[in-house]
Amino acid sequence: MSADQTPARSPNRPLSVLRSLLDNAAAGGIVLMAAAALALLVANSPLAGTYAKALHREIGGLSLLHWINDGLMALFFLMVGLEIKREMLDGQLATWSRRILPGAAALGGMIGPSLVYLAVNAGEGGQPRGWAIPAATDIAFALGVLALLGNRVPLSLRVFLTALAIIDDLGAVLVIAFFYTGSLDAPALVGAALAVAALAALNRLGVLRLTPYLLLGALLWVLVLKSGIHATLAGVVLALVIPLRARPGRPDDRRSPLHILEHALQPVVTFLIVPLFGFANAGVAFGGLSFAALADPVPLGAALGLFLGKQLGVFLTAAAVIRAGWADLPAHADWRQLYGVALLCGIGFTMSLFIGLLAFPTDAALQDEVKIGVLLGSVLSALAGAALFRFAPAPPRGDR
């Protein structure tokens, strides 16, 4: 029997875990904002040359930037995978009734921005390869904005946004796997498949020690890096085989390998890795930038995709599901507040920048255009969402 097949959950545990995720992600979002602002400040200061030189310094055959984007971000994707697995099997997304509203909204929130981006980039000079750039919501950044709003946002909408962003991350992972994978190295790919088979065997045999999983996971990362598939996806694959259930006779799931690893990773990823990624990738010099450059297809498509496509995709899809009677409006929330969350879903910082790097891996100019569009669309979405909640009625005290 697999280590994941015996349910043993405390009825109050999933919500408490989600509350912890909300608190940590919100605080991490504020740190991420500071890191992005610092990157912009440094990139437009006399330190710009030192900043660029440091990021391109080679260490062990890879630049520091590559170690951050391909190495440390694998831990980010590992935590994303752990969150997806936990919420899908034993948390707020464990049943179809809980999945349908955030799931439908996440799907609409990926399709809408992609269509807007493609529409802007359909003509001559367009770059349709970047269609997925505005498709993902940055959970840390969005929850950071909600944290700054205090008690004006119902808890039910915070949970809805978190669930939507988790499903959104799953969609982004699939997009990266299927659409942003280059030429493949067959021997490395076979080796990676064998490593995955060994990891699955550990799970099926009920192995609950983390050390074998982590050692095989490190080997998997090396093989995936050499195979041509983006190395960060090794983190997601590893997460899917980490056992969710605790040892027989110990029903407290918080002692399971998945929860132990997730809680160990969460502060490191939230307060170090993601802000470091933001600092390394958000820096763009505005010295030679003109307003006309904002109308180029890539920055305009990314900005409009996040600001317009995301809010329309999320809100209209959620409204259709609610009107059809398949789901209810989140508790103590009204339509205006739901629309405010849809606006905040347009904050697409971390995953959008990451996809932009994959879409244009060798074109520094297009990468800078991606950064400008993502920053513009994310800032507009954050300001519009925050303004709407400032003027919306406060939720009842019991739902704050």
Side-chain angles (χ1 to χ4, degrees):
M1 177 178 289
S2 167
D4 288 346
Q5 288 179 340
T6 304
R9 59 179 279 189
S10 168
N12 295 322
R13 189 196 54 71
L15 184 57
S16 66
V17 171
L18 195 62
R19 284 179 188 271
S20 174
L21 173 62
L22 286 166
D23 292 340
N24 287 336
I30 296 172
V31 175
L32 178 58
M33 294 180 205
L38 181 60
L40 290 172
L41 183 65
V42 170
N44 291 277
S45 75
L47 295 173
T50 304
Y51 170 76
K53 185 177 179 180
L55 289 176
H56 290 90
R57 179 183 178 88
E58 285 205 2
I59 303 172
L62 293 176
S63 69
L64 177 60
L65 185 62
H66 274 98
W67 276 115
I68 294 171
N69 292 346
D70 293 352
L72 291 182
M73 284 299 283
L75 296 178
F76 165 78
F77 277 87
L78 172 58
M79 197 181 81
V80 166
L82 294 172
E83 289 174 354
I84 290 171
K85 179 174 180 176
R86 171 176 49 74
E87 291 299 330
M88 287 289 187
L89 296 183
D90 201 32
Q92 292 300 305
L93 298 173
T95 63
W96 284 108
S97 60
R98 290 179 175 180
R99 293 172 189 164
I100 187 166
L101 183 60
L107 180 61
M110 295 190 75
I111 294 174
S114 300
L115 292 177
V116 170
Y117 180 94
L118 286 172
V120 173
N121 283 266
E124 185 177 352
Q127 298 289 338
R129 180 169 168 76
W131 62 272
I133 290 169
T137 295
D138 191 300
I139 184 173
F141 224 134
L143 289 175
V145 173
L146 288 184
L148 296 176
L149 292 171
N151 292 329
R152 302 200 65 84
V153 184
L155 175 62
S156 61
L157 282 182
R158 296 172 188 261
V159 173
F160 168 72
L161 175 59
T162 305
L164 185 155
I166 289 171
I167 298 172
D168 199 290
D169 283 341
L170 175 60
V173 167
L174 294 175
V175 165
I176 292 170
F178 287 106
F179 296 99
Y180 293 105
T181 294
S183 57
L184 300 178
D185 181 281
L189 201 58
V190 171
L194 292 174
V196 172
L199 285 165
L202 290 177
N203 182 288
R204 295 292 297 177
L205 292 171
V207 175
L208 295 173
R209 291 183 58 197
L210 275 170
T211 303
Y213 292 98
L214 297 180
L215 290 175
L216 277 172
L219 175 62
L220 177 63
W221 178 83
V222 173
L223 291 169
V224 171
L225 178 67
K226 294 179 177 296
S227 73
I229 301 173
H230 201 273
T232 51
L233 295 180
V236 178
V237 174
L238 175 60
L240 297 181
V241 297
I242 300 293
L244 175 65
R245 306 302 180 196
R247 192 183 302 275
R250 294 171 59 185
D252 185 359
D253 282 351
R254 283 172 290 186
R255 298 304 306 162
S256 73
L258 186 146
H259 283 84
I260 291 171
L261 182 58
E262 184 180 11
H263 285 290
L265 282 175
Q266 198 169 72
V268 176
V269 170
T270 302
F271 297 109
L272 177 62
I273 292 176
V274 172
L276 186 59
F277 173 84
F279 178 74
N281 290 280
V284 56
F286 297 126
L289 181 68
S290 65
F291 282 106
L294 297 177
D296 288 346
V298 170
L300 185 62
L304 291 181
L306 286 170
F307 182 60
L308 292 180
K310 199 72 175 178
Q311 61 170 286
L312 293 176
V314 169
F315 183 75
L316 293 179
T317 308
V321 169
I322 293 170
R323 290 295 190 192
W326 297 339
D328 297 323
L329 194 66
H332 304 297
D334 58 25
W335 287 101
R336 179 167 50 175
Q337 291 169 325
L338 181 64
Y339 182 61
V341 167
L343 279 167
L344 292 179
C345 286
I347 302 174
F349 189 78
T350 305
M351 198 69 82
S352 293
L353 291 180
F354 190 82
I355 292 175
L357 294 174
L358 299 182
F360 310 116
T362 60
D363 195 322
L366 285 179
Q367 289 179 8
D368 282 346
E369 290 191 354
V370 168
K371 295 173 186 178
I372 294 167
V374 168
L375 288 169
L376 180 59
S378 297
V379 168
L380 288 175
S381 298
L383 293 176
L388 189 148
F389 276 110
R390 279 296 178 189
F391 294 103
R397 184 174 297 274
D399 195 54
R400 297 181 183 181

